[in-house]
Amino acid sequence: MSGQIPLNDDECVMDARRFKPSSIGKSITISSGNTPEILGKFTNRKFKITGTVSSPQYINVDRGTTNMGAGLVAGFVFVKSSNFMNSPYTTVFLESDVQGDIYTEDRKVQVDAHTDELKQAVVQQISEKTNSTTNDSLMQQVRVLTREDNADYSLYKTDSSIVEDISRVFPVFFFLVAALVCMTTMVRMVNEERAQIGILKSLGYSTPSAIKELHNLLI
């Protein structure tokens, strides 16, 4: 969103919703109040902010919850992977080639098919690396999550549905308002111009002709 991507291990980028571009150039430090286990995972504990970014993992304003601190995530920070000491990868983000509109049943069916296939591939990789034959237990350890499992993604779907429902109601609402205005105008015209209508009717005008003539007189 602003600045640049980190080039060095002691640099980071911050959540654009939580930090403004004015934060670029400043530094943040991993609190010494963290447990030794957490502190021991990092090669650096102080990082210079080089930019602000957005992430598709966070669509909504909320950043989620945590079992640390006050229990709420204020924002996210991205650092180079080389900052983590001997930490195995526990999460992988993949982009599929599934086509079609989001939130549709057809797309969901395609994604589910890829999900099962992906899970089998991951289990096979783990089995080969660990020489494990307990595929059943590995299948339980491995979790494949789709965008549907992202709370922000699901909430966005709900919000979109609400807007769609409102878009159906508004035309009806405006039609009723327009009808009410027309009826009010017509009733007022009849009440205020009753004498003129009577004169026109006595002269032989039909009701539609009298209304048309009265309209021309008012204009």
Side-chain angles (χ1 to χ4, degrees):
M1 303 299 291
S2 62
Q4 65 179 18
I5 298 297
L7 299 177
N8 302 311
D9 291 347
D10 61 347
E11 295 177 340
C12 69
V13 287
M14 311 291 286
D15 185 353
R17 187 177 289 277
R18 178 67 175 80
F19 297 89
K20 299 184 180 300
S22 57
S23 300
I24 297 176
K26 298 180 181 179
S27 297
I28 61 168
T29 303
I30 299 177
S31 173
S32 58
N34 286 288
T35 63
E37 180 184 2
I38 293 177
L39 294 175
K41 292 181 180 293
F42 295 92
T43 57
N44 291 289
R45 297 186 182 179
K46 186 175 182 179
F47 301 91
K48 179 181 178 181
I49 303 173
T50 62
T52 60
V53 295
S54 62
S55 170
Q57 301 174 45
Y58 302 97
I59 303 174
N60 196 22
V61 177
D62 295 332
R63 294 304 187 233
T65 59
T66 176
N67 56 3
M68 301 172 62
L72 292 176
V73 177
F76 60 83
V77 180
F78 288 141
V79 300
K80 292 177 70 66
S81 59
S82 52
N83 279 290
F84 297 94
M85 297 180 59
N86 301 322
S87 296
Y89 291 114
T90 57
T91 305
V92 178
F93 294 94
L94 300 176
E95 180 181 0
S96 72
D97 57 357
V98 173
Q99 302 296 318
D101 295 332
I102 62 174
Y103 302 126
T104 60
E105 187 62 28
D106 179 62
R107 184 183 178 89
K108 185 177 185 303
V109 171
Q110 294 185 64
V111 170
D112 289 343
H114 282 273
T115 299
D116 295 337
E117 180 183 355
L118 178 61
K119 192 168 186 177
Q120 292 287 350
V122 172
V123 169
Q124 182 178 352
Q125 288 287 327
I126 296 176
S127 299
E128 293 176 355
K129 289 182 177 297
T130 60
N131 295 322
S132 174
T133 57
T134 57
N135 285 352
D136 291 339
S137 61
L138 289 176
M139 287 289 285
Q140 295 177 1
Q141 293 166 355
V142 177
R143 297 183 61 195
V144 180
L145 305 178
T146 68
R147 286 194 298 185
E148 297 289 345
D149 297 299
N150 184 302
D152 289 352
Y153 184 82
S154 300
L155 184 60
Y156 189 80
K157 176 183 179 181
T158 302
D159 293 343
S160 300
S161 299
I162 293 174
V163 174
E164 184 179 5
D165 293 339
I166 292 176
S167 69
R168 295 194 182 101
V169 174
F170 263 96
V172 178
F173 174 76
F174 286 123
F175 176 81
L176 293 176
V177 171
L180 179 62
V181 171
C182 290
M183 291 179 60
T184 303
T185 303
M186 293 172 63
V187 171
R188 181 179 178 182
M189 182 184 72
V190 171
N191 290 334
E192 293 181 352
E193 306 297 335
R194 188 180 300 275
Q196 290 284 352
I197 295 174
I199 294 173
L200 292 173
K201 291 284 288 184
S202 64
L203 293 175
Y205 282 85
S206 64
T207 299
S209 298
I211 294 176
K212 182 179 180 180
E213 187 65 24
L214 181 60
H215 176 72
N216 293 334
L217 291 173
L218 292 176
I219 293 178

